[in-house]
PDB file of all heavy atoms in Angstrom:
ATOM      1  N   ILE A   1     110.492 109.347 105.550  1.00 96.00           N
ATOM      2  CA  ILE A   1     109.754 108.159 105.960  1.00 96.00           C
ATOM      3  C   ILE A   1     109.835 107.134 104.835  1.00 96.00           C
ATOM      4  O   ILE A   1     109.482 107.420 103.700  1.00 96.00           O
ATOM      5  CB  ILE A   1     108.275 108.499 106.256  1.00 96.00           C
ATOM      6  CG1 ILE A   1     108.189 109.491 107.410  1.00 96.00           C
ATOM      7  CG2 ILE A   1     107.495 107.233 106.562  1.00 96.00           C
ATOM      8  CD1 ILE A   1     106.795 109.991 107.671  1.00 96.00           C
ATOM      9  N   LEU A   2     110.309 105.960 105.172  1.00 95.00           N
ATOM     10  CA  LEU A   2     110.410 104.883 104.191  1.00 95.00           C
ATOM     11  C   LEU A   2     109.111 104.103 104.219  1.00 95.00           C
ATOM     12  O   LEU A   2     108.870 103.298 105.112  1.00 95.00           O
ATOM     13  CB  LEU A   2     111.610 103.990 104.512  1.00 95.00           C
ATOM     14  CG  LEU A   2     112.951 104.720 104.601  1.00 95.00           C
ATOM     15  CD1 LEU A   2     114.055 103.759 105.013  1.00 95.00           C
ATOM     16  CD2 LEU A   2     113.281 105.404 103.290  1.00 95.00           C
ATOM     17  N   ALA A   3     108.249 104.373 103.252  1.00 93.00           N
ATOM     18  CA  ALA A   3     106.904 103.799 103.241  1.00 93.00           C
ATOM     19  C   ALA A   3     106.609 103.095 101.923  1.00 93.00           C
ATOM     20  O   ALA A   3     105.478 103.113 101.451  1.00 93.00           O
ATOM     21  CB  ALA A   3     105.890 104.912 103.498  1.00 93.00           C
ATOM     22  N   ALA A   4     107.604 102.461 101.339  1.00 92.00           N
ATOM     23  CA  ALA A   4     107.433 101.899 100.007  1.00 92.00           C
ATOM     24  C   ALA A   4     107.162 100.402  99.990  1.00 92.00           C
ATOM     25  O   ALA A   4     106.895  99.845  98.941  1.00 92.00           O
ATOM     26  CB  ALA A   4     108.676 102.196  99.166  1.00 92.00           C
ATOM     27  N   GLY A   5     107.192  99.761 101.129  1.00 91.00           N
ATOM     28  CA  GLY A   5     107.014  98.309 101.155  1.00 91.00           C
ATOM     29  C   GLY A   5     105.603  97.877 100.795  1.00 91.00           C
ATOM     30  O   GLY A   5     104.640  98.609 100.990  1.00 91.00           O
ATOM     31  N   ALA A   6     105.500  96.685 100.289  1.00 91.00           N
ATOM     32  CA  ALA A   6     104.196  96.148  99.899  1.00 91.00           C
ATOM     33  C   ALA A   6     103.438  95.565 101.082  1.00 91.00           C
ATOM     34  O   ALA A   6     102.246  95.295 100.988  1.00 91.00           O
ATOM     35  CB  ALA A   6     104.368  95.078  98.825  1.00 91.00           C
ATOM     36  N   GLY A   7     104.100  95.352 102.202  1.00 91.00           N
ATOM     37  CA  GLY A   7     103.433  94.828 103.383  1.00 91.00           C
ATOM     38  C   GLY A   7     102.946  93.405 103.220  1.00 91.00           C
ATOM     39  O   GLY A   7     101.877  93.057 103.695  1.00 91.00           O
ATOM     40  N   THR A   8     103.738  92.564 102.570  1.00 92.00           N
ATOM     41  CA  THR A   8     103.302  91.200 102.265  1.00 92.00           C
ATOM     42  C   THR A   8     103.059  90.363 103.515  1.00 92.00           C
ATOM     43  O   THR A   8     102.255  89.443 103.489  1.00 92.00           O
ATOM     44  CB  THR A   8     104.325  90.483 101.368  1.00 92.00           C
ATOM     45  OG1 THR A   8     105.612  90.517 102.007  1.00 92.00           O
ATOM     46  CG2 THR A   8     104.412  91.149 100.004  1.00 92.00           C
ATOM     47  N   ARG A   9     103.721  90.678 104.618  1.00 94.00           N
ATOM     48  CA  ARG A   9     103.490  89.916 105.842  1.00 94.00           C
ATOM     49  C   ARG A   9     102.139  90.244 106.472  1.00 94.00           C
ATOM     50  O   ARG A   9     101.694  89.553 107.374  1.00 94.00           O
ATOM     51  CB  ARG A   9     104.618  90.156 106.840  1.00 94.00           C
ATOM     52  CG  ARG A   9     105.929  89.511 106.398  1.00 94.00           C
ATOM     53  CD  ARG A   9     106.994  89.745 107.417  1.00 94.00           C
ATOM     54  NE  ARG A   9     107.320  91.164 107.473  1.00 94.00           N
ATOM     55  CZ  ARG A   9     108.528  91.665 107.359  1.00 94.00           C
ATOM     56  NH1 ARG A   9     109.541  90.852 107.178  1.00 94.00           N
ATOM     57  NH2 ARG A   9     108.734  92.949 107.421  1.00 94.00           N
ATOM     58  N   LEU A  10     101.500  91.310 105.990  1.00 93.00           N
ATOM     59  CA  LEU A  10     100.179  91.672 106.494  1.00 93.00           C
ATOM     60  C   LEU A  10      99.057  91.261 105.542  1.00 93.00           C
ATOM     61  O   LEU A  10      97.913  91.691 105.711  1.00 93.00           O
ATOM     62  CB  LEU A  10     100.111  93.189 106.731  1.00 93.00           C
ATOM     63  CG  LEU A  10     101.017  93.744 107.818  1.00 93.00           C
ATOM     64  CD1 LEU A  10     100.906  95.257 107.858  1.00 93.00           C
ATOM     65  CD2 LEU A  10     100.685  93.146 109.157  1.00 93.00           C
ATOM     66  N   ASP A  11      99.390  90.440 104.534  1.00 93.00           N
ATOM     67  CA  ASP A  11      98.354  89.933 103.626  1.00 93.00           C
ATOM     68  C   ASP A  11      97.296  89.204 104.434  1.00 93.00           C
ATOM     69  O   ASP A  11      97.624  88.558 105.422  1.00 93.00           O
ATOM     70  CB  ASP A  11      98.957  88.965 102.603  1.00 93.00           C
ATOM     71  CG  ASP A  11      99.586  89.668 101.422  1.00 93.00           C
ATOM     72  OD1 ASP A  11      99.425  90.870 101.292  1.00 93.00           O
ATOM     73  OD2 ASP A  11     100.248  88.973 100.627  1.00 93.00           O
ATOM     74  N   PRO A  12      96.061  89.281 104.068  1.00 94.00           N
ATOM     75  CA  PRO A  12      95.454  89.918 102.907  1.00 94.00           C
ATOM     76  C   PRO A  12      95.096  91.387 103.129  1.00 94.00           C
ATOM     77  O   PRO A  12      94.598  92.055 102.234  1.00 94.00           O
ATOM     78  CB  PRO A  12      94.194  89.091 102.679  1.00 94.00           C
ATOM     79  CG  PRO A  12      93.785  88.686 104.049  1.00 94.00           C
ATOM     80  CD  PRO A  12      95.088  88.477 104.797  1.00 94.00           C
ATOM     81  N   LEU A  13      95.375  91.906 104.324  1.00 91.00           N
ATOM     82  CA  LEU A  13      95.024  93.288 104.650  1.00 91.00           C
ATOM     83  C   LEU A  13      95.646  94.294 103.690  1.00 91.00           C
ATOM     84  O   LEU A  13      95.011  95.264 103.292  1.00 91.00           O
ATOM     85  CB  LEU A  13      95.465  93.601 106.084  1.00 91.00           C
ATOM     86  CG  LEU A  13      95.138  94.966 106.649  1.00 91.00           C
ATOM     87  CD1 LEU A  13      93.638  95.172 106.704  1.00 91.00           C
ATOM     88  CD2 LEU A  13      95.742  95.113 108.029  1.00 91.00           C
ATOM     89  N   THR A  14      96.877  94.055 103.273  1.00 93.00           N
ATOM     90  CA  THR A  14      97.590  95.027 102.445  1.00 93.00           C
ATOM     91  C   THR A  14      97.478  94.780 100.947  1.00 93.00           C
ATOM     92  O   THR A  14      98.184  95.417 100.172  1.00 93.00           O
ATOM     93  CB  THR A  14      99.078  95.066 102.843  1.00 93.00           C
ATOM     94  OG1 THR A  14      99.601  93.746 102.804  1.00 93.00           O
ATOM     95  CG2 THR A  14      99.252  95.661 104.226  1.00 93.00           C
ATOM     96  N   LEU A  15      96.597  93.890 100.543  1.00 93.00           N
ATOM     97  CA  LEU A  15      96.402  93.703  99.104  1.00 93.00           C
ATOM     98  C   LEU A  15      95.750  94.930  98.481  1.00 93.00           C
ATOM     99  O   LEU A  15      96.049  95.295  97.345  1.00 93.00           O
ATOM    100  CB  LEU A  15      95.550  92.451  98.833  1.00 93.00           C
ATOM    101  CG  LEU A  15      96.201  91.116  99.154  1.00 93.00           C
ATOM    102  CD1 LEU A  15      95.218  89.982  98.948  1.00 93.00           C
ATOM    103  CD2 LEU A  15      97.452  90.922  98.322  1.00 93.00           C
ATOM    104  N   GLN A  16      94.857  95.584  99.213  1.00 94.00           N
ATOM    105  CA  GLN A  16      94.167  96.762  98.695  1.00 94.00           C
ATOM    106  C   GLN A  16      94.381  97.999  99.552  1.00 94.00           C
ATOM    107  O   GLN A  16      93.815  99.055  99.269  1.00 94.00           O
ATOM    108  CB  GLN A  16      92.675  96.475  98.572  1.00 94.00           C
ATOM    109  CG  GLN A  16      92.382  95.377  97.587  1.00 94.00           C
ATOM    110  CD  GLN A  16      90.901  95.081  97.489  1.00 94.00           C
ATOM    111  OE1 GLN A  16      90.090  95.598  98.229  1.00 94.00           O
ATOM    112  NE2 GLN A  16      90.557  94.236  96.532  1.00 94.00           N
ATOM    113  N   LEU A  17      95.199  97.894 100.591  1.00 95.00           N
ATOM    114  CA  LEU A  17      95.469  98.999 101.488  1.00 95.00           C
ATOM    115  C   LEU A  17      96.964  99.065 101.734  1.00 95.00           C
ATOM    116  O   LEU A  17      97.555  98.077 102.188  1.00 95.00           O
ATOM    117  CB  LEU A  17      94.736  98.778 102.818  1.00 95.00           C
ATOM    118  CG  LEU A  17      94.836  99.860 103.867  1.00 95.00           C
ATOM    119  CD1 LEU A  17      94.046 101.093 103.418  1.00 95.00           C
ATOM    120  CD2 LEU A  17      94.294  99.357 105.192  1.00 95.00           C
ATOM    121  N   PRO A  18      97.616 100.193 101.446  1.00 95.00           N
ATOM    122  CA  PRO A  18      99.062 100.267 101.681  1.00 95.00           C
ATOM    123  C   PRO A  18      99.366 100.233 103.183  1.00 95.00           C
ATOM    124  O   PRO A  18      98.577 100.708 104.003  1.00 95.00           O
ATOM    125  CB  PRO A  18      99.465 101.601 101.060  1.00 95.00           C
ATOM    126  CG  PRO A  18      98.218 102.398 100.988  1.00 95.00           C
ATOM    127  CD  PRO A  18      97.089 101.433 100.888  1.00 95.00           C
ATOM    128  N   LYS A  19     100.500  99.671 103.513  1.00 95.00           N
ATOM    129  CA  LYS A  19     100.882  99.500 104.915  1.00 95.00           C
ATOM    130  C   LYS A  19     100.831 100.805 105.721  1.00 95.00           C
ATOM    131  O   LYS A  19     100.382 100.783 106.867  1.00 95.00           O
ATOM    132  CB  LYS A  19     102.275  98.873 104.973  1.00 95.00           C
ATOM    133  CG  LYS A  19     102.704  98.450 106.346  1.00 95.00           C
ATOM    134  CD  LYS A  19     103.933  97.565 106.340  1.00 95.00           C
ATOM    135  CE  LYS A  19     105.052  98.146 105.527  1.00 95.00           C
ATOM    136  NZ  LYS A  19     106.292  97.366 105.604  1.00 95.00           N
ATOM    137  N   PRO A  20     101.227 101.956 105.182  1.00 95.00           N
ATOM    138  CA  PRO A  20     101.143 103.196 105.965  1.00 95.00           C
ATOM    139  C   PRO A  20      99.714 103.607 106.325  1.00 95.00           C
ATOM    140  O   PRO A  20      99.521 104.426 107.217  1.00 95.00           O
ATOM    141  CB  PRO A  20     101.784 104.244 105.051  1.00 95.00           C
ATOM    142  CG  PRO A  20     102.683 103.471 104.164  1.00 95.00           C
ATOM    143  CD  PRO A  20     101.981 102.169 103.938  1.00 95.00           C
ATOM    144  N   LEU A  21      98.717 103.052 105.662  1.00 96.00           N
ATOM    145  CA  LEU A  21      97.329 103.373 105.968  1.00 96.00           C
ATOM    146  C   LEU A  21      96.644 102.324 106.842  1.00 96.00           C
ATOM    147  O   LEU A  21      95.460 102.462 107.156  1.00 96.00           O
ATOM    148  CB  LEU A  21      96.523 103.578 104.682  1.00 96.00           C
ATOM    149  CG  LEU A  21      96.872 104.806 103.854  1.00 96.00           C
ATOM    150  CD1 LEU A  21      95.935 104.927 102.661  1.00 96.00           C
ATOM    151  CD2 LEU A  21      96.837 106.079 104.690  1.00 96.00           C
ATOM    152  N   VAL A  22      97.379 101.308 107.257  1.00 95.00           N
ATOM    153  CA  VAL A  22      96.808 100.302 108.150  1.00 95.00           C
ATOM    154  C   VAL A  22      96.456 101.002 109.466  1.00 95.00           C
ATOM    155  O   VAL A  22      97.287 101.692 110.055  1.00 95.00           O
ATOM    156  CB  VAL A  22      97.790  99.141 108.387  1.00 95.00           C
ATOM    157  CG1 VAL A  22      97.317  98.225 109.498  1.00 95.00           C
ATOM    158  CG2 VAL A  22      97.998  98.359 107.103  1.00 95.00           C
ATOM    159  N   PRO A  23      95.212 100.851 109.915  1.00 96.00           N
ATOM    160  CA  PRO A  23      94.799 101.569 111.123  1.00 96.00           C
ATOM    161  C   PRO A  23      95.332 100.948 112.412  1.00 96.00           C
ATOM    162  O   PRO A  23      95.348  99.735 112.573  1.00 96.00           O
ATOM    163  CB  PRO A  23      93.276 101.486 111.076  1.00 96.00           C
ATOM    164  CG  PRO A  23      92.975 100.297 110.244  1.00 96.00           C
ATOM    165  CD  PRO A  23      94.113 100.142 109.283  1.00 96.00           C
ATOM    166  N   ILE A  24      95.773 101.827 113.281  1.00 95.00           N
ATOM    167  CA  ILE A  24      96.141 101.471 114.646  1.00 95.00           C
ATOM    168  C   ILE A  24      95.413 102.476 115.531  1.00 95.00           C
ATOM    169  O   ILE A  24      95.610 103.692 115.380  1.00 95.00           O
ATOM    170  CB  ILE A  24      97.667 101.533 114.868  1.00 95.00           C
ATOM    171  CG1 ILE A  24      98.353 100.497 113.990  1.00 95.00           C
ATOM    172  CG2 ILE A  24      98.001 101.323 116.336  1.00 95.00           C
ATOM    173  CD1 ILE A  24      99.854 100.491 114.080  1.00 95.00           C
ATOM    174  N   VAL A  25      94.575 102.008 116.404  1.00 95.00           N
ATOM    175  CA  VAL A  25      93.733 102.859 117.257  1.00 95.00           C
ATOM    176  C   VAL A  25      92.947 103.839 116.378  1.00 95.00           C
ATOM    177  O   VAL A  25      92.935 105.050 116.603  1.00 95.00           O
ATOM    178  CB  VAL A  25      94.554 103.588 118.337  1.00 95.00           C
ATOM    179  CG1 VAL A  25      93.642 104.236 119.368  1.00 95.00           C
ATOM    180  CG2 VAL A  25      95.538 102.668 119.026  1.00 95.00           C
ATOM    181  N   ASN A  26      92.325 103.303 115.342  1.00 94.00           N
ATOM    182  CA  ASN A  26      91.428 104.041 114.438  1.00 94.00           C
ATOM    183  C   ASN A  26      92.095 105.143 113.620  1.00 94.00           C
ATOM    184  O   ASN A  26      91.397 106.000 113.078  1.00 94.00           O
ATOM    185  CB  ASN A  26      90.233 104.618 115.211  1.00 94.00           C
ATOM    186  CG  ASN A  26      89.405 103.537 115.847  1.00 94.00           C
ATOM    187  OD1 ASN A  26      89.177 102.493 115.250  1.00 94.00           O
ATOM    188  ND2 ASN A  26      88.979 103.762 117.072  1.00 94.00           N
ATOM    189  N   ARG A  27      93.396 105.149 113.519  1.00 95.00           N
ATOM    190  CA  ARG A  27      94.117 106.116 112.688  1.00 95.00           C
ATOM    191  C   ARG A  27      95.231 105.387 111.946  1.00 95.00           C
ATOM    192  O   ARG A  27      95.858 104.493 112.510  1.00 95.00           O
ATOM    193  CB  ARG A  27      94.734 107.227 113.541  1.00 95.00           C
ATOM    194  CG  ARG A  27      93.702 108.155 114.124  1.00 95.00           C
ATOM    195  CD  ARG A  27      94.279 109.216 115.034  1.00 95.00           C
ATOM    196  NE  ARG A  27      95.461 109.845 114.480  1.00 95.00           N
ATOM    197  CZ  ARG A  27      96.513 110.212 115.239  1.00 95.00           C
ATOM    198  NH1 ARG A  27      96.522 109.996 116.521  1.00 95.00           N
ATOM    199  NH2 ARG A  27      97.542 110.804 114.678  1.00 95.00           N
ATOM    200  N   PRO A  28      95.510 105.790 110.702  1.00 95.00           N
ATOM    201  CA  PRO A  28      96.596 105.142 109.964  1.00 95.00           C
ATOM    202  C   PRO A  28      97.934 105.306 110.681  1.00 95.00           C
ATOM    203  O   PRO A  28      98.209 106.339 111.298  1.00 95.00           O
ATOM    204  CB  PRO A  28      96.617 105.877 108.626  1.00 95.00           C
ATOM    205  CG  PRO A  28      95.266 106.460 108.485  1.00 95.00           C
ATOM    206  CD  PRO A  28      94.817 106.781 109.878  1.00 95.00           C
ATOM    207  N   VAL A  29      98.753 104.292 110.579  1.00 95.00           N
ATOM    208  CA  VAL A  29     100.063 104.315 111.230  1.00 95.00           C
ATOM    209  C   VAL A  29     100.887 105.528 110.767  1.00 95.00           C
ATOM    210  O   VAL A  29     101.645 106.107 111.554  1.00 95.00           O
ATOM    211  CB  VAL A  29     100.816 102.983 111.006  1.00 95.00           C
ATOM    212  CG1 VAL A  29     101.215 102.795 109.567  1.00 95.00           C
ATOM    213  CG2 VAL A  29     102.014 102.887 111.919  1.00 95.00           C
ATOM    214  N   LEU A  30     100.718 105.950 109.529  1.00 95.00           N
ATOM    215  CA  LEU A  30     101.464 107.105 109.030  1.00 95.00           C
ATOM    216  C   LEU A  30     101.058 108.390 109.755  1.00 95.00           C
ATOM    217  O   LEU A  30     101.887 109.257 109.993  1.00 95.00           O
ATOM    218  CB  LEU A  30     101.283 107.253 107.515  1.00 95.00           C
ATOM    219  CG  LEU A  30     102.124 108.318 106.832  1.00 95.00           C
ATOM    220  CD1 LEU A  30     103.609 108.142 107.111  1.00 95.00           C
ATOM    221  CD2 LEU A  30     101.888 108.314 105.333  1.00 95.00           C
ATOM    222  N   GLU A  31      99.808 108.507 110.139  1.00 94.00           N
ATOM    223  CA  GLU A  31      99.372 109.675 110.913  1.00 94.00           C
ATOM    224  C   GLU A  31     100.059 109.707 112.273  1.00 94.00           C
ATOM    225  O   GLU A  31     100.494 110.755 112.740  1.00 94.00           O
ATOM    226  CB  GLU A  31      97.859 109.650 111.112  1.00 94.00           C
ATOM    227  CG  GLU A  31      97.125 110.601 110.232  1.00 94.00           C
ATOM    228  CD  GLU A  31      95.661 110.724 110.620  1.00 94.00           C
ATOM    229  OE1 GLU A  31      95.366 111.351 111.650  1.00 94.00           O
ATOM    230  OE2 GLU A  31      94.830 110.174 109.882  1.00 94.00           O
ATOM    231  N   HIS A  32     100.156 108.562 112.913  1.00 96.00           N
ATOM    232  CA  HIS A  32     100.853 108.482 114.200  1.00 96.00           C
ATOM    233  C   HIS A  32     102.316 108.887 114.036  1.00 96.00           C
ATOM    234  O   HIS A  32     102.864 109.619 114.865  1.00 96.00           O
ATOM    235  CB  HIS A  32     100.774 107.060 114.775  1.00 96.00           C
ATOM    236  CG  HIS A  32      99.412 106.656 115.210  1.00 96.00           C
ATOM    237  ND1 HIS A  32      98.810 107.132 116.350  1.00 96.00           N
ATOM    238  CD2 HIS A  32      98.518 105.809 114.642  1.00 96.00           C
ATOM    239  CE1 HIS A  32      97.609 106.595 116.486  1.00 96.00           C
ATOM    240  NE2 HIS A  32      97.408 105.787 115.456  1.00 96.00           N
ATOM    241  N   THR A  33     102.935 108.416 112.969  1.00 96.00           N
ATOM    242  CA  THR A  33     104.339 108.742 112.707  1.00 96.00           C
ATOM    243  C   THR A  33     104.518 110.241 112.497  1.00 96.00           C
ATOM    244  O   THR A  33     105.441 110.849 113.055  1.00 96.00           O
ATOM    245  CB  THR A  33     104.845 107.964 111.476  1.00 96.00           C
ATOM    246  OG1 THR A  33     104.653 106.569 111.704  1.00 96.00           O
ATOM    247  CG2 THR A  33     106.307 108.245 111.207  1.00 96.00           C
ATOM    248  N   LEU A  34     103.646 110.853 111.711  1.00 94.00           N
ATOM    249  CA  LEU A  34     103.737 112.299 111.472  1.00 94.00           C
ATOM    250  C   LEU A  34     103.529 113.092 112.758  1.00 94.00           C
ATOM    251  O   LEU A  34     104.219 114.095 112.997  1.00 94.00           O
ATOM    252  CB  LEU A  34     102.725 112.719 110.411  1.00 94.00           C
ATOM    253  CG  LEU A  34     103.024 112.229 108.997  1.00 94.00           C
ATOM    254  CD1 LEU A  34     101.854 112.544 108.073  1.00 94.00           C
ATOM    255  CD2 LEU A  34     104.311 112.821 108.472  1.00 94.00           C
ATOM    256  N   ASP A  35     102.618 112.644 113.598  1.00 94.00           N
ATOM    257  CA  ASP A  35     102.405 113.320 114.880  1.00 94.00           C
ATOM    258  C   ASP A  35     103.656 113.273 115.751  1.00 94.00           C
ATOM    259  O   ASP A  35     104.025 114.260 116.386  1.00 94.00           O
ATOM    260  CB  ASP A  35     101.237 112.691 115.638  1.00 94.00           C
ATOM    261  CG  ASP A  35      99.885 113.032 115.057  1.00 94.00           C
ATOM    262  OD1 ASP A  35      99.811 113.973 114.215  1.00 94.00           O
ATOM    263  OD2 ASP A  35      98.901 112.366 115.413  1.00 94.00           O
ATOM    264  N   LEU A  36     104.310 112.116 115.787  1.00 96.00           N
ATOM    265  CA  LEU A  36     105.535 111.991 116.577  1.00 96.00           C
ATOM    266  C   LEU A  36     106.660 112.868 116.029  1.00 96.00           C
ATOM    267  O   LEU A  36     107.391 113.501 116.791  1.00 96.00           O
ATOM    268  CB  LEU A  36     105.997 110.531 116.615  1.00 96.00           C
ATOM    269  CG  LEU A  36     105.239 109.631 117.578  1.00 96.00           C
ATOM    270  CD1 LEU A  36     105.622 108.176 117.354  1.00 96.00           C
ATOM    271  CD2 LEU A  36     105.518 110.042 119.010  1.00 96.00           C
ATOM    272  N   LEU A  37     106.781 112.907 114.708  1.00 95.00           N
ATOM    273  CA  LEU A  37     107.812 113.754 114.112  1.00 95.00           C
ATOM    274  C   LEU A  37     107.567 115.221 114.440  1.00 95.00           C
ATOM    275  O   LEU A  37     108.487 115.954 114.784  1.00 95.00           O
ATOM    276  CB  LEU A  37     107.868 113.539 112.595  1.00 95.00           C
ATOM    277  CG  LEU A  37     108.431 112.187 112.156  1.00 95.00           C
ATOM    278  CD1 LEU A  37     108.212 111.993 110.662  1.00 95.00           C
ATOM    279  CD2 LEU A  37     109.897 112.075 112.513  1.00 95.00           C
ATOM    280  N   LYS A  38     106.322 115.647 114.360  1.00 93.00           N
ATOM    281  CA  LYS A  38     105.966 117.027 114.689  1.00 93.00           C
ATOM    282  C   LYS A  38     106.278 117.317 116.156  1.00 93.00           C
ATOM    283  O   LYS A  38     106.856 118.353 116.490  1.00 93.00           O
ATOM    284  CB  LYS A  38     104.489 117.264 114.391  1.00 93.00           C
ATOM    285  CG  LYS A  38     104.042 118.687 114.601  1.00 93.00           C
ATOM    286  CD  LYS A  38     102.586 118.845 114.199  1.00 93.00           C
ATOM    287  CE  LYS A  38     102.127 120.283 114.344  1.00 93.00           C
ATOM    288  NZ  LYS A  38     100.728 120.454 113.897  1.00 93.00           N
ATOM    289  N   LYS A  39     105.911 116.395 117.027  1.00 96.00           N
ATOM    290  CA  LYS A  39     106.146 116.556 118.463  1.00 96.00           C
ATOM    291  C   LYS A  39     107.631 116.719 118.782  1.00 96.00           C
ATOM    292  O   LYS A  39     108.005 117.435 119.704  1.00 96.00           O
ATOM    293  CB  LYS A  39     105.580 115.341 119.203  1.00 96.00           C
ATOM    294  CG  LYS A  39     105.822 115.332 120.680  1.00 96.00           C
ATOM    295  CD  LYS A  39     105.269 114.077 121.315  1.00 96.00           C
ATOM    296  CE  LYS A  39     105.662 113.989 122.769  1.00 96.00           C
ATOM    297  NZ  LYS A  39     105.243 112.725 123.377  1.00 96.00           N
TER     298      LYS A  39
END
């Protein structure tokens, strides 16, 4: 998983929160990605 970006297009949200932890439907996007990979 390439999760190294600073997420500058999501500023100011990503100034203190890394992009993989941005919530989508109350869960970080990285959790959704891991669930799909497992599936």
Side-chain angles (χ1 to χ4, degrees):
I1 298 174
L2 304 176
T8 56
R9 290 181 293 233
L10 295 176
D11 277 351
L13 183 62
T14 53
L15 291 175
Q16 297 179 353
L17 183 70
K19 189 167 50 175
L21 292 184
V22 170
I24 296 178
V25 191
N26 299 320
R27 290 177 45 217
V29 68
L30 187 55
E31 256 190 73
H32 291 286
T33 303
L34 291 172
D35 287 346
L36 282 170
L37 289 170
K38 184 176 182 177
K39 177 182 173 185

